[in-house]
Amino acid sequence: MKQESVGQMSESRRLAVILAVSGGLMDAYTYLLRGKVFANAQTGNILLFGVNLSEGSFREALRYFFPVLAFALGIVTAELIRHFFPEGKGFHWRQWAVLAECVILFFVGLMPLTYNGFANAMVSFACGIQVESFRKVKGNACATTMCIGNFRSGTQAVCDFLFSGERSSLLKGLTYYGIIGAFTFGAVVGNAAVKLFGQRAVWCSSLLLVLSFIVMFQKQDKK
């Protein structure tokens, strides 16, 4: 059958894998180098915020609170980008979102370790932009900066395959697990990058986001 273009690559598996590697790298970077704070896993930050708050460690509590707040502001920023840079005017709005992430992470790489609090907040801000801008893969809800939702959806899809025998369900499940694998690989790369490059290791995420920006110029084909 003839193939026809169905738009740019914002929901492709290829792009999701690249973004997931970047997401895992960012989480490893902030946790290993910037004081054991999560860039993406805001559930963990909220938990540690509550624990420190209950123990009266208010300074420690704030260390986990600000990344959560920055993550929320990143989501708001992504919506503002979508509103002010609609499709059809220059770059796709998601490309503007990726460029914003690149710039933010570049400056984070310049920050000395004495500015860990601000650096963690900025990385979480970038993650908030990403999680809001890229929410689907092949029409299915998916996150490239965290794993729990993908793990649930992938397992459900595999169960659907076992019950119905539909290969599409199996492919869906494997897609989710593949993105989880990409995130894990990003954490491995992040660990190695931190050992090699220190505070500038986050620039590896910037390079992956540049690659994502380029990939989004391509068109998907569908039979």
Side-chain angles (χ1 to χ4, degrees):
M1 296 177 64
K2 188 172 76 171
Q3 293 190 339
E4 57 183 2
S5 175
V6 294
Q8 52 90 48
M9 299 280 287
S10 62
E11 294 186 16
S12 71
R13 296 187 186 94
R14 185 188 315 169
L15 181 62
V17 166
I18 297 171
L19 292 173
V21 173
S22 177
L25 198 156
M26 284 188 278
D27 236 0
Y29 173 79
T30 57
Y31 186 82
L32 295 173
L33 189 69
R34 298 285 189 175
K36 297 189 182 302
V37 175
F38 295 107
N40 295 311
Q42 301 307 323
T43 301
N45 288 337
I46 292 170
L47 170 66
L48 293 169
F49 167 73
V51 169
N52 282 284
L53 198 63
S54 68
E55 294 182 348
S57 302
F58 300 117
R59 185 172 182 176
E60 281 294 296
L62 288 176
R63 189 159 69 96
Y64 294 103
F65 171 75
F66 286 120
V68 175
L69 177 61
F71 189 86
L73 292 175
I75 295 172
V76 173
T77 300
E79 285 299 303
L80 291 174
I81 293 172
R82 184 174 67 88
H83 178 76
F84 288 107
F85 296 93
E87 296 182 38
K89 294 184 178 180
F91 297 149
H92 190 278
W93 73 268
R94 290 186 177 90
Q95 289 176 295
W96 286 113
V98 164
L99 285 179
E101 279 191 82
C102 286
V103 172
I104 291 166
L105 296 180
F106 175 79
F107 283 108
V108 169
L110 298 176
M111 295 178 189
L113 300 183
T114 51
Y115 289 85
N116 278 353
F118 187 62
N120 287 331
M122 293 306 294
V123 177
S124 289
F125 180 75
C127 291
I129 293 175
Q130 182 169 314
V131 78
E132 181 65 11
S133 300
F134 301 93
R135 297 184 294 177
K136 291 183 178 182
V137 175
K138 294 293 183 179
N140 299 304
C142 184
T144 57
T145 60
M146 57 194 73
C147 294
I148 186 64
N150 296 340
F151 191 70
R152 185 209 64 79
S153 298
T155 304
Q156 178 187 346
V158 171
C159 289
D160 290 342
F161 167 72
L162 294 175
F163 293 138
S164 66
E166 293 184 5
R167 295 182 63 184
S168 60
S169 296
L170 178 61
L171 179 60
K172 180 179 176 181
L174 293 176
T175 297
Y176 280 114
Y177 287 135
I179 292 170
I180 293 171
F183 185 92
T184 305
F185 177 71
V188 173
V189 173
N191 183 37
V194 164
K195 292 177 180 178
L196 288 172
F197 308 120
Q199 70 190 50
R200 291 176 175 79
V202 75
W203 288 352
C204 296
S205 275
S206 292
L207 292 175
L208 288 168
L209 292 169
V210 169
L211 178 59
S212 300
F213 176 82
I214 295 171
V215 166
M216 280 189 284
F217 279 112
Q218 301 176 9
K219 300 292 184 180
Q220 288 193 83
D221 290 326
K222 183 179 178 182
K223 286 186 178 181

